[in-house]
Amino acid sequence: MKRIVTIQDISCFGKCSITVALPLISAMGIECAILPTSVLSTHTGGFEDFTFRDLSEDIPKIAEHWKKYSIEFDTIYTGYLGTEKQIDYVLDFIKLFGKKDTLVFVDPAMGDKGRLYTGFASDFPSHMAKLCAVADITVPNITEACYLTGTEYKEVYDEKYVKDLAKKVCSLGAKSVVITGVSYEKSTQGAVFYSSKDDTYISYIAENIPRSFHGTGDTFASVLSGALTRGIDIENALKIAVDFTVECIRHTLPEAEKHAYGTKFEECIPYLNELINRQGK
Ligand code: PXL
């Protein structure tokens, strides 16, 4: 059985980060260890006066304890991190647990729709860029890729803009990148992969359901990291992650008002199993 450790916050209510990663990665037949970096009463979008308990100082202690037991991970998947200090501790964690064949998967979750999430100072992306630099694969959306690379954010763009953006993210040091939420026209959206080693692109574009729900970036990242950890090739992994995320949105659409805080991904888990089983891996 493969094993992933995911390092991100627990938002107690509102489906994102660990409350999405743990059930989805488990459902994919992969053991999922968690390293919670903070505990919030809710995620930071759409709720006011949320609580925030910083667990930064627990990160090195947990790592040290795990090391004593020689615990190992096939994949280190990092998501939302609340402070610069957490990024430094996560870099130390990767040095300690990263082996030659460990997949370092970095979701630089910090913004959307051209803006940083509540609570992040304008210099936060430059710290997140240090983490992306050590990634085998990083999965920013367009907003995050722009903040990471100092590129002007555009609402309307063409293929060249996205391809250049992907190359710029790799020039930070990441071996490969998936730009998520790519939409060249209203009716479609998808993801664009770029590998700096091979200088090749792979795009997977699907239907766009013009309604946004919280945590869909985390759904995409959890499924992509799980599929890659299972040994599924990037082309199929990309397809599975996009198709599943779109299905979660489609399924939640009839109750969109009630569920803006997160999709009803739980009811779509049988579809995820079907997508994975089709691969025979
Ligand atoms: O989905 C990303 C995410 C994760 N964790 C927290 C967030 C967000 C996005 O807003 O607020 C706490």
Side-chain angles (χ1 to χ4, degrees):
M1 198 178 194
K2 297 282 188 179
R3 183 185 294 142
I4 292 180
V5 57
T6 189
I7 311 179
Q8 45 187 334
D9 69 285
I10 294 178
S11 290
C12 300
F13 182 83
K15 293 180 260 190
C16 68
S17 37
I18 286 182
T19 60
V20 168
L22 180 56
L24 290 180
I25 290 169
S26 302
M28 294 171 86
I30 298 165
E31 186 178 325
C32 184
I34 59 167
L35 211 176
T37 52
S38 51
V39 177
L40 295 87
S41 50
T42 65
H43 52 65
T44 64
F47 295 98
E48 279 174 15
D49 305 325
F50 48 82
T51 69
F52 180 86
R53 169 82 55 194
D54 188 352
L55 300 179
S56 301
E57 297 312 319
D58 286 26
I59 300 173
K61 290 183 194 154
I62 292 171
E64 209 178 298
H65 187 217
W66 286 350
K67 205 63 198 175
K68 225 165 84 185
Y69 283 85
S70 303
I71 295 169
E72 295 185 334
F73 304 102
D74 298 291
T75 297
I76 300 170
Y77 156 30
T78 74
Y80 179 100
L81 298 169
T83 64
E84 182 189 341
K85 186 90 189 160
Q86 291 182 357
I87 291 173
D88 289 338
Y89 281 146
V90 171
L91 283 165
D92 292 342
F93 184 94
I94 293 169
K95 274 198 206 123
L96 200 58
F97 285 91
K99 294 182 291 128
K100 209 170 107 268
D101 52 357
T102 309
L103 179 70
V104 177
F105 186 106
V106 173
D107 180 2
M110 58 186 172
D112 203 6
K113 300 188 174 78
R115 301 181 57 181
L116 291 176
Y117 294 138
T118 304
F120 288 125
S122 57
D123 65 344
F124 187 76
S126 66
H127 300 297
M128 189 56 100
K130 289 188 286 180
L131 188 53
C132 293
V134 302
D136 292 306
I137 182 162
T138 181
V139 295
N141 59 29
I142 301 254
T143 300
E144 291 154 351
C146 286
Y147 273 105
L148 287 168
T149 59
T151 306
E152 186 198 349
Y153 174 78
K154 290 186 179 173
E155 282 285 335
V156 179
Y157 45 79
D158 58 10
E159 216 177 309
K160 184 177 180 309
Y161 174 79
V162 177
K163 285 188 161 176
D164 289 348
L165 200 49
K167 262 196 181 169
K168 278 199 227 171
V169 174
C170 278
S171 69
L172 297 172
K175 292 198 183 74
S176 66
V177 59
V178 174
I179 307 281
T180 66
V182 173
S183 180
Y184 300 123
E185 49 192 348
K186 277 206 171 81
S187 59
T188 63
Q189 61 76 36
V192 175
F193 168 82
Y194 174 70
S195 158
S196 60
K197 182 165 147 263
D198 312 323
D199 193 27
T200 51
Y201 293 93
I202 299 172
S203 291
Y204 182 68
I205 303 293
E207 177 191 356
N208 184 35
I209 300 174
R211 180 91 204 201
S212 59
F213 293 92
H214 218 92
T216 47
D218 301 334
T219 303
F220 177 87
S222 300
V223 173
L224 185 68
S225 65
L228 293 172
T229 302
R230 285 190 70 107
I232 295 170
D233 61 273
I234 182 66
E235 192 164 357
N236 281 304
L238 210 55
K239 192 168 177 320
I240 291 169
V242 170
D243 285 346
F244 180 69
T245 307
V246 171
E247 181 55 27
C248 292
I249 295 170
R250 190 197 329 276
H251 180 73
T252 315
L253 202 55
E255 291 181 85
E257 295 304 327
K258 241 168 70 187
H259 279 273
Y261 64 90
T263 70
K264 300 199 289 174
F265 71 84
E266 298 89 340
E267 292 175 348
C268 302
I269 285 176
Y271 178 60
L272 177 59
N273 295 141
E274 199 185 304
L275 290 171
I276 295 291
N277 291 340
R278 268 188 219 157
Q279 298 294 320
K281 277 192 175 151

